[in-house]
Amino acid sequence: MKKNFSVKTVVATGIGAALFFVLGRFVAIPSPVPNTTVSIQYGLLAFMAAAFGPVAGLLIGFIGHALIDFSWGWGVWWSWVIASGVFGLIMGLMSKKIGLTEGKFGKKGVVLFNLAQIVGHLICWGAVAPALDVLIYNEPTDKLLLQGLVAGAANIVTTAIVGTLICLAYVAARPKEGSLRQEE
Protein backbone atom coordinates (compact mmCIF):
# COMPACT_ATOMS: atom_id res chain seq x y z
CA MET A 1 0.00 0.00 0.00
CA LYS A 2 1.37 3.38 -1.00
CA LYS A 3 1.77 6.00 1.71
CA ASN A 4 -0.17 9.15 0.87
CA PHE A 5 1.30 11.27 3.64
CA SER A 6 5.08 11.11 3.28
CA VAL A 7 7.78 13.48 4.52
CA LYS A 8 7.79 14.95 1.01
CA THR A 9 4.06 15.67 1.31
CA VAL A 10 4.52 17.34 4.71
CA VAL A 11 7.37 19.53 3.43
CA ALA A 12 5.47 20.40 0.24
CA THR A 13 2.42 21.30 2.34
CA GLY A 14 4.40 23.62 4.61
CA ILE A 15 6.22 25.36 1.77
CA GLY A 16 3.11 25.50 -0.40
CA ALA A 17 0.90 26.94 2.36
CA ALA A 18 3.53 29.57 3.17
CA LEU A 19 3.88 30.59 -0.49
CA PHE A 20 0.08 30.55 -0.95
CA PHE A 21 -0.20 32.88 2.06
CA VAL A 22 2.49 35.31 0.83
CA LEU A 23 1.07 35.48 -2.69
CA GLY A 24 -2.54 35.79 -1.49
CA ARG A 25 -1.78 38.38 1.17
CA PHE A 26 0.80 40.59 -0.52
CA VAL A 27 0.40 40.09 -4.28
CA ALA A 28 -3.41 40.24 -4.53
CA ILE A 29 -4.99 42.93 -6.70
CA PRO A 30 -8.30 44.33 -5.40
CA SER A 31 -11.27 43.88 -7.73
CA PRO A 32 -14.27 46.21 -7.98
CA VAL A 33 -16.38 43.52 -6.27
CA PRO A 34 -16.28 43.71 -2.44
CA ASN A 35 -14.11 41.12 -0.66
CA THR A 36 -12.80 39.72 -3.96
CA THR A 37 -9.29 39.99 -5.38
CA VAL A 38 -7.38 38.94 -8.46
CA SER A 39 -4.84 36.51 -7.06
CA ILE A 40 -2.00 34.44 -8.46
CA GLN A 41 -1.76 31.97 -5.58
CA TYR A 42 -4.15 29.55 -7.29
CA GLY A 43 -1.61 29.00 -10.07
CA LEU A 44 0.89 27.95 -7.42
CA LEU A 45 -1.72 25.79 -5.66
CA ALA A 46 -2.65 24.05 -8.93
CA PHE A 47 1.03 23.28 -9.61
CA MET A 48 1.74 22.07 -6.06
CA ALA A 49 -1.35 19.82 -6.10
CA ALA A 50 -0.41 18.41 -9.51
CA ALA A 51 3.16 17.77 -8.33
CA PHE A 52 2.49 16.47 -4.82
CA GLY A 53 -1.04 15.05 -4.93
CA PRO A 54 -4.50 15.59 -3.45
CA VAL A 55 -3.56 15.57 0.25
CA ALA A 56 -0.94 18.28 -0.24
CA GLY A 57 -3.28 20.25 -2.51
CA LEU A 58 -6.14 20.13 -0.01
CA LEU A 59 -3.95 21.18 2.92
CA ILE A 60 -2.07 23.90 1.03
CA GLY A 61 -5.31 25.55 -0.10
CA PHE A 62 -7.00 25.17 3.27
CA ILE A 63 -4.09 26.29 5.49
CA GLY A 64 -2.87 29.00 3.12
CA HIS A 65 -6.30 30.59 2.73
CA ALA A 66 -7.00 30.36 6.47
CA LEU A 67 -3.72 32.18 7.16
CA ILE A 68 -4.59 34.91 4.65
CA ASP A 69 -8.00 35.52 6.22
CA PHE A 70 -6.59 35.39 9.75
CA SER A 71 -3.87 37.92 8.90
CA TRP A 72 -6.43 40.52 7.81
CA GLY A 73 -7.94 40.57 11.29
CA TRP A 74 -11.62 40.28 10.38
CA GLY A 75 -11.81 36.54 10.97
CA VAL A 76 -11.58 33.47 8.83
CA TRP A 77 -14.20 33.13 6.08
CA TRP A 78 -14.53 29.34 6.26
CA SER A 79 -16.65 28.90 3.16
CA TRP A 80 -13.89 30.27 0.92
CA VAL A 81 -11.15 28.52 2.91
CA ILE A 82 -12.90 25.20 2.33
CA ALA A 83 -13.36 26.04 -1.36
CA SER A 84 -9.62 26.70 -1.69
CA GLY A 85 -8.92 23.32 -0.12
CA VAL A 86 -11.40 21.62 -2.44
CA PHE A 87 -9.70 23.25 -5.44
CA GLY A 88 -6.35 21.84 -4.31
CA LEU A 89 -7.95 18.43 -3.81
CA ILE A 90 -9.47 18.46 -7.31
CA MET A 91 -6.15 19.41 -8.90
CA GLY A 92 -4.35 16.75 -6.88
CA LEU A 93 -6.83 14.07 -7.93
CA MET A 94 -6.13 14.98 -11.56
CA SER A 95 -2.35 14.84 -11.03
CA LYS A 96 -1.83 11.36 -12.52
CA LYS A 97 -3.66 12.28 -15.71
CA ILE A 98 -1.68 15.52 -16.09
CA GLY A 99 1.68 13.70 -16.04
CA LEU A 100 3.68 16.46 -14.39
CA THR A 101 5.68 14.22 -12.04
CA GLU A 102 6.60 11.91 -14.91
CA GLY A 103 8.03 14.86 -16.83
CA LYS A 104 5.41 14.50 -19.57
CA PHE A 105 3.89 17.96 -19.56
CA GLY A 106 3.52 18.62 -23.26
CA LYS A 107 0.49 19.93 -25.14
CA LYS A 108 -1.74 17.18 -23.75
CA GLY A 109 -0.60 17.94 -20.19
CA VAL A 110 -1.19 21.67 -20.64
CA VAL A 111 -4.69 21.02 -21.97
CA LEU A 112 -5.55 18.54 -19.17
CA PHE A 113 -4.08 20.85 -16.51
CA ASN A 114 -6.18 23.76 -17.74
CA LEU A 115 -9.35 21.72 -18.17
CA ALA A 116 -8.93 20.44 -14.61
CA GLN A 117 -8.32 23.91 -13.19
CA ILE A 118 -11.29 25.39 -15.07
CA VAL A 119 -13.60 22.64 -13.80
CA GLY A 120 -12.12 22.95 -10.31
CA HIS A 121 -12.60 26.71 -10.16
CA LEU A 122 -16.16 26.47 -11.53
CA ILE A 123 -17.04 23.88 -8.87
CA CYS A 124 -15.38 25.83 -6.05
CA TRP A 125 -16.44 29.39 -6.83
CA GLY A 126 -19.71 28.56 -8.56
CA ALA A 127 -21.00 25.96 -6.09
CA VAL A 128 -18.91 25.18 -2.98
CA ALA A 129 -18.14 28.72 -1.73
CA PRO A 130 -21.60 30.19 -2.49
CA ALA A 131 -23.45 27.20 -1.00
CA LEU A 132 -21.35 27.33 2.17
CA ASP A 133 -21.79 31.13 2.35
CA VAL A 134 -25.56 30.61 2.44
CA LEU A 135 -25.38 27.70 4.90
CA ILE A 136 -22.79 29.16 7.28
CA TYR A 137 -23.28 32.93 7.01
CA ASN A 138 -26.78 33.32 5.52
CA GLU A 139 -25.35 35.62 2.82
CA PRO A 140 -27.59 37.08 0.07
CA THR A 141 -27.35 35.01 -3.13
CA ASP A 142 -27.11 37.96 -5.57
CA LYS A 143 -23.90 39.15 -3.88
CA LEU A 144 -22.54 35.58 -3.83
CA LEU A 145 -23.14 35.04 -7.52
CA LEU A 146 -21.23 38.20 -8.43
CA GLN A 147 -18.34 37.36 -6.07
CA GLY A 148 -18.19 33.78 -7.35
CA LEU A 149 -18.26 34.87 -10.98
CA VAL A 150 -15.49 37.43 -10.53
CA ALA A 151 -13.32 35.21 -8.31
CA GLY A 152 -13.81 32.19 -10.56
CA ALA A 153 -13.02 34.07 -13.77
CA ALA A 154 -9.97 35.78 -12.28
CA ASN A 155 -8.69 32.51 -10.80
CA ILE A 156 -9.15 30.66 -14.09
CA VAL A 157 -7.13 33.27 -15.98
CA THR A 158 -4.35 33.61 -13.40
CA THR A 159 -4.08 29.83 -12.95
CA ALA A 160 -3.93 29.33 -16.71
CA ILE A 161 -1.02 31.77 -16.96
CA VAL A 162 0.90 31.34 -13.69
CA GLY A 163 0.14 27.66 -13.11
CA THR A 164 0.97 26.60 -16.66
CA LEU A 165 4.23 28.57 -16.63
CA ILE A 166 5.29 27.05 -13.29
CA CYS A 167 4.50 23.54 -14.56
CA LEU A 168 6.46 24.10 -17.78
CA ALA A 169 9.43 25.47 -15.82
CA TYR A 170 9.27 22.52 -13.41
CA VAL A 171 9.37 19.95 -16.22
CA ALA A 172 12.12 21.84 -18.06
CA ALA A 173 14.27 21.92 -14.91
CA ARG A 174 13.91 18.19 -14.18
CA PRO A 175 16.91 16.04 -15.06
CA LYS A 176 16.35 14.15 -18.29
CA GLU A 177 16.42 10.37 -18.20
CA GLY A 178 19.99 9.11 -18.45
CA SER A 179 21.56 12.51 -17.83
CA LEU A 180 22.90 11.50 -14.43
CA ARG A 181 24.64 8.27 -15.44
CA GLN A 182 27.87 7.60 -13.69
CA GLU A 183 30.91 6.96 -15.80
CA GLU A 184 32.37 3.50 -15.30
Side-chain angles (χ1 to χ4, degrees):
M1 184 173 163
K2 186 179 172 185
K3 292 181 181 179
N4 289 330
F5 208 71
S6 65
V7 171
K8 185 166 84 169
T9 303
V10 172
V11 172
T13 299
I15 292 170
L19 290 172
F20 188 95
F21 165 72
V22 169
L23 292 174
R25 180 64 167 88
F26 301 109
V27 189
I29 303 164
S31 83
V33 177
N35 304 317
T36 309
T37 60
V38 176
S39 307
I40 64 171
Q41 75 262 28
Y42 290 98
L44 171 78
L45 174 57
F47 159 73
M48 295 292 285
F52 298 103
V55 173
L58 172 74
L59 292 173
I60 291 166
F62 186 87
I63 294 166
H65 198 134
L67 289 172
I68 292 167
D69 283 4
F70 183 75
S71 73
W72 283 111
W74 61 62
V76 178
W77 204 257
W78 291 109
S79 52
W80 286 55
V81 169
I82 292 167
S84 289
V86 170
F87 176 74
L89 177 68
I90 290 168
M91 290 304 295
L93 290 172
M94 293 300 297
S95 63
K96 292 293 180 201
K97 295 190 184 298
I98 294 168
L100 186 65
T101 55
E102 293 83 26
K104 299 174 184 174
F105 193 72
K107 289 179 185 176
K108 180 181 176 186
V110 170
V111 169
L112 288 174
F113 175 83
N114 281 291
L115 285 174
Q117 68 96 355
I118 289 167
V119 169
H121 282 307
L122 290 174
I123 290 169
C124 291
W125 311 118
V128 174
L132 290 175
D133 275 345
V134 170
L135 290 172
I136 298 170
Y137 303 109
N138 201 24
E139 288 286 315
T141 54
D142 56 337
K143 172 186 156 190
L144 300 177
L145 294 176
L146 181 60
Q147 284 180 328
L149 178 66
V150 170
N155 292 341
I156 287 169
V157 171
T158 59
T159 302
I161 296 166
V162 175
T164 302
L165 289 175
I166 295 171
C167 289
L168 290 169
Y170 174 78
V171 170
R174 288 176 52 97
K176 305 303 178 233
E177 188 172 322
S179 68
L180 298 177
R181 285 190 216 169
Q182 293 181 351
E183 296 296 321
E184 293 184 43

